[in-house]
Amino acid sequence: MTTAIPTFTAGRLQRPDGAVIHYEVGGEGPPIVFAHGLGGNHLSWWQSAPAFAERHQVVSFSHRGFAPSTTPGGIPDPQLYAGDLAALLDHLSIPKAVIVGQSMGGWTCVETALATPDRVVGIVMACTSGSFDYDRFADPAVAAWRKDAPAAIARLAERGIHRAAGARMAEEQPGLHALYQAVDRLSLGLDKNEIGNRIRAMRKRGAEDAARISCPALFVIGEEDLLICPRGIELVAATLPDARTVRVPVSGHSVYFERATIFNACVERFLAEIGWQ
C-alpha cells in the first residue's frame, strides 16, 4: 500500500493590534511548531515540515512582519512573538506542543516556554541561545569568537554569501544557498538590521530564568556558526535543568537547512527521548 504524502493547508490569524500571522498546518499526531530565523519565513522548514508531518501535526508560521505575515508600523516587536504563538496555538486548538526554533526563532521558544510553560512540552534550539546572554560567563572561547566573527562575516558579504547560510553551503550546495537567499528576499523592505538590534536587546536572561525552563530542551549547534557562538550555546544549555546539546560538524548557522537529514534525525531522537510520538 502506498503511503499518502502529508498535505498542508494555509491560514491567517488576525491579531488584536492588526498584525496578521500566516501559518501552514498539516499531518496528525503530537503537535510540533516550527519558528524560523531572521533570514527566513515559514518556507524555511520545507525539508523538515513534510518529514515530521508523517507522524505529527506540524505547524510552520511566519513571524509578524515576515512575508506573508504583516505587522503594524512595518517593523515587528520581537517581544510580541511569544504572544502571537500562544494565540496561534489557541486558534488551532493545540493545548501543548514541542517548539522548534532556529536563530531568532529561539527567542520565540524561550519566551513562550517562560510565559506559558504549561503549553510547551519541549524546545529545540537550533543554532541559538535565544534571549539567554552567554557573554555573562566571561568565557575565553566566547571572547575569541567575538573577536574573529565580524571579519569572517564581512568576508562573506564581500563574496555575496548570505551570512546565515555561510561559505560552506554556498560552495558545496550553491542551489541550496540560492534558495536560502530567495526565501530571505520574500520579506523585501523589512529592516532586518533593526529587528536584529531588537532581539539582541532582549538577550538579558540568565541562570534564574534558565531554572524556570522545566521542559526538556535540545540545543543543536553548527560548529562553524559565525552568528551565534557555539561555545556560548553550550554554556547556556548547561544552565537549563533538562537540556542536551548536539554539535554538527561542517555546518554553519543554518544546520536545519544545510544538513537537514542530520537535523531531522537529531530532532527525532529528542522526540523519542521525551515520549512525544
Side-chain angles (χ1 to χ4, degrees):
M1 184 176 66
T2 303
T3 303
I5 296 175
T7 58
F8 285 76
T9 58
R12 298 288 181 93
L13 172 64
Q14 181 87 35
R15 300 291 285 132
D17 65 352
V20 176
I21 308 301
H22 176 92
Y23 66 88
E24 296 191 358
V25 58
E28 296 181 355
I32 304 175
V33 180
F34 289 91
H36 65 84
L38 189 63
N41 63 14
H42 69 286
L43 294 173
S44 298
W45 302 103
W46 64 280
Q47 298 175 97
S48 295
F52 285 97
E54 294 179 1
R55 293 190 300 277
H56 294 270
Q57 181 185 20
V58 169
V59 181
S60 61
F61 70 98
S62 293
H63 287 95
R64 58 169 56 217
F66 289 77
S69 294
T70 64
T71 192
I75 302 179
D77 180 357
Q79 296 190 61
L80 301 177
Y81 289 172
D84 289 341
L85 179 51
L88 182 56
L89 294 177
D90 290 340
H91 178 70
L92 295 173
S93 299
I94 296 175
K96 296 182 179 182
V98 166
I99 307 173
V100 181
Q102 191 268 339
S103 193
M104 181 185 74
W107 273 253
T108 308
C109 284
V110 170
E111 297 305 309
T112 302
L114 290 173
T116 56
D118 57 318
R119 310 292 298 272
V120 182
V121 176
I123 58 175
V124 177
M125 303 284 282
C127 300
T128 183
S129 64
S131 45
F132 286 107
D133 175 24
Y134 47 70
D135 287 312
R136 64 191 169 89
F137 296 101
D139 185 86
V142 173
W145 176 89
R146 284 240 177 257
K147 179 177 179 293
D148 296 338
I153 292 171
R155 288 193 293 270
L156 293 180
E158 292 171 358
R159 298 175 59 193
I161 296 175
H162 196 295
R163 61 171 59 189
R168 188 178 295 278
M169 186 196 297
E171 294 165 358
E172 297 180 357
Q173 303 180 83
L176 203 63
H177 176 256
L179 177 59
Y180 201 106
Q181 291 177 311
V183 171
D184 192 5
R185 288 194 298 269
L186 290 174
S187 295
L188 179 67
L190 184 62
D191 188 346
K192 294 189 177 183
N193 287 330
E194 177 56 27
I195 299 171
N197 291 335
R198 293 183 180 191
I199 62 173
R200 283 188 289 272
M202 293 172 62
R203 190 186 270 160
K204 298 178 179 178
R205 296 197 180 276
E208 183 176 336
D209 290 316
R212 296 169 51 206
I213 305 286
S214 57
C215 67
L218 169 66
F219 289 77
V220 180
I221 302 166
E223 286 194 341
E224 299 173 356
D225 195 337
L226 295 175
L227 301 188
I228 304 290
C229 179
R231 175 57 179 161
I233 296 173
E234 289 179 335
L235 291 168
V236 167
T239 65
L240 272 66
D242 185 8
R244 64 279 282 154
T245 61
V246 176
R247 270 187 173 255
V248 180
V250 294
S251 183
H253 184 61
S254 298
V255 174
Y256 77 104
F257 208 94
E258 183 179 10
R259 309 292 179 198
T261 300
I262 295 174
F263 176 78
N264 290 349
C266 291
V267 177
E268 284 278 12
R269 287 194 295 271
F270 175 68
L271 297 175
E273 287 175 9
I274 67 175
W276 196 242
Q277 293 182 318

